[in-house]
Structure formats: structure tokens, C-alpha cells
Amino acid sequence: MTKLIWKPGTMIYPIPAVLVTCGDSIENYNIITIAWTGTVCTDPAMTYISLRPERHSYGIIERTGEFVINLTTEALVKATDYCGIKSGRNVNKFLEMKLTPEPASKIKAPLIGESPVNIECQVEQIMKLGSHHMFLAKVLAVNVDDAYMDNKNKFHLDASNPICYSHGQYYGLKKSLGGFGFSVAKKKKGSRK
Ligand SMILES: Cc1cc2nc3c(=O)[nH]c(=O)nc-3n(C[C@H](O)[C@H](O)[C@H](O)COP(=O)(O)O)c2cc1C
């Protein structure tokens, strides 16, 4: 295999593209699409988003110290792209994309009703890294759509048709290739595999 060596860059793909909501009153609610996000700690549950300071959302999140990460689905892919192209300085993205702001349980920033999972976050630290500033945040609450719960109280995120973002393209995730630990799981009695 021959490898080409590129200059340093961001090539960790696929990744989530999430809709981050912010604002503390209906007049200043905004939505921004974010790909630079992820989990940084399980307990306490912590996450981050990295924002360019020129984003309209930057000032709102810096001032309020709060945001919500709303997971995206195939039904939300157009809104995901739109909220990553248009600025809240010029348009009301909730109205344009017909998305429903709903109250969060712990913070003033709104949830997106149409998203299956909404993660309420409180900013702990802003790290000024360079092009992007990283907002390290504590998760205060997670809201899940009960339509994806089964009668054994198991949540089926896959049933919401989640999407991911890879090198400039949005993709659906149709096929499971195995569950956590499948590579070492013991075969069931009577199974031919
Ligand atoms: C798929 C995708 C991912 C993006 N990820 C980020 C990101 O991680 N950080 C960022 O600052 N901007 C990101 N952007 C750009 C912002 O979403 C975009 O500039 C948006 O219009 C800013 O909105 P605002 O001015 O209302 O805050 C992304 C855009 C797209 C389409």
C-alpha cells in the first residue's frame, strides 16, 4: 500500500453533524450545525463543541453559557445543511426549517422537538485553540423521544434513522455490522455460526 503524506488537517471521519441550539428567549433562539463535537468523559458526562468566533451562535453561547446538542436524522438532513450555511444574523432558522423550539428541563436554550435526542449542556471552559474555540461542557440532562422506547424500556436510536457526516457528505446508517462486544461474544447453543 502506498500512502500519500498530507499536511496536518482534520480527517477524522465519519463523525456526527449535530444541530446545536442556543439562546435564552424566543427572540434570540438560534440553531447552528456543528461537526466538531464529541464525548470527552462518561462520568461526569462531558462533551464539547468547537466554534469559530465569527459565528452568530458564538456570542450567544459565550454569554448564556448554555447550549443543546440535538441529534440529526434523515428527516432532518436538509435542516442540518441549511443551519450550517445560513446565519442567524439574517434568518430565523427555526421558522425557515419549520422546526419546533421546546423548553429544556435545566437550561433556557431550546430543544428541537423533531430531534430524537436533545442533550442539555452547561459550558465549563472555553479553550481558544486557533480557528476554533472549544466549549467544554457538562451534560445536565438528556431528553429522548419516547416513540423510540420499546416495552422493555430499551431505546432504539437506530429507528430514528440517524445520519453522519464524512468528508463533505451526509450519509444514512442503514446496516448494523454487529453489537458492542460481538467480536468476543460466545456463540449461542444451537447457532451454526
Ligand atoms: C456539516 C457542517 C458542519 C459544520 N461544523 C461546524 C463546526 O464544527 N464549527 C463551526 O464553527 N462551524 C461549523 N459549521 C459552519 C456553521 O454551521 C455555519 O457557519 C453557520 O451558518 C453558522 O451559523 P450562525 O452564524 O447562525 O451561528 C458547519 C457547517 C456544516 C454544513
Side-chain angles (χ1 to χ4, degrees):
M1 223 183 271
T2 309
K3 304 280 182 170
L4 304 175
I5 301 173
W6 290 355
K7 66 179 169 61
T10 50
M11 273 302 286
I12 299 173
Y13 291 116
I15 49 176
V18 297
L19 288 168
V20 169
T21 40
C22 55
D24 53 1
S25 73
I26 194 153
E27 296 77 34
N28 62 34
Y29 284 172
N30 193 34
I31 313 174
I32 175 172
T33 302
I34 292 290
W36 296 171
T37 183
T39 300
V40 289
C41 185
T42 305
D43 186 14
M46 293 193 70
T47 182
Y48 79 94
I49 57 171
S50 282
L51 288 171
R52 286 187 183 266
E54 57 266 32
R55 308 295 186 226
H56 180 59
S57 306
Y58 186 102
I60 300 174
I61 298 173
E62 187 185 40
R63 177 178 62 79
T64 59
E66 307 174 338
F67 61 88
V68 179
I69 294 178
N70 303 271
L71 299 193
T72 50
T73 62
E74 291 183 20
L76 288 170
V77 69
K78 187 177 172 193
T80 305
D81 190 60
Y82 182 91
C83 294
I85 302 295
K86 296 283 184 177
S87 176
R89 278 189 196 96
N90 311 312
V91 291
N92 181 325
K93 298 187 222 183
F94 272 102
L95 288 181
E96 291 298 320
M97 288 292 104
K98 298 188 171 52
L99 296 173
T100 318
E102 289 182 355
S105 66
K106 307 268 188 202
I107 61 177
K108 287 186 178 166
L111 317 179
I112 295 177
E114 291 77 6
S115 165
V117 177
N118 323 91
I119 302 161
E120 300 179 35
C121 303
Q122 186 176 57
V123 177
E124 295 236 309
Q125 208 181 320
I126 304 174
M127 294 163 77
K128 300 188 173 179
L129 300 175
S131 63
H132 289 69
H133 295 180
M134 180 175 154
F135 289 65
L136 186 65
K138 200 167 171 178
V139 174
L140 298 187
V142 178
N143 305 257
V144 300
D145 186 340
D146 67 1
Y148 301 111
M149 299 297 293
D150 69 15
N151 53 15
K152 289 185 181 139
N153 223 21
K154 187 173 185 304
F155 183 61
H156 295 271
L157 182 60
D158 54 306
S160 73
N161 296 323
I163 56 169
C164 70
Y165 182 67
S166 191
H167 204 207
Q169 295 288 319
Y170 306 96
Y171 293 92
L173 309 172
K174 279 291 176 214
K175 190 174 150 201
S176 165
L177 303 176
F180 180 92
F182 85 97
S183 64
V184 294
K186 294 223 168 68
K187 286 173 205 152
K188 278 190 192 144
K189 262 192 178 172
S191 157
R192 278 193 231 155
K193 281 186 191 161

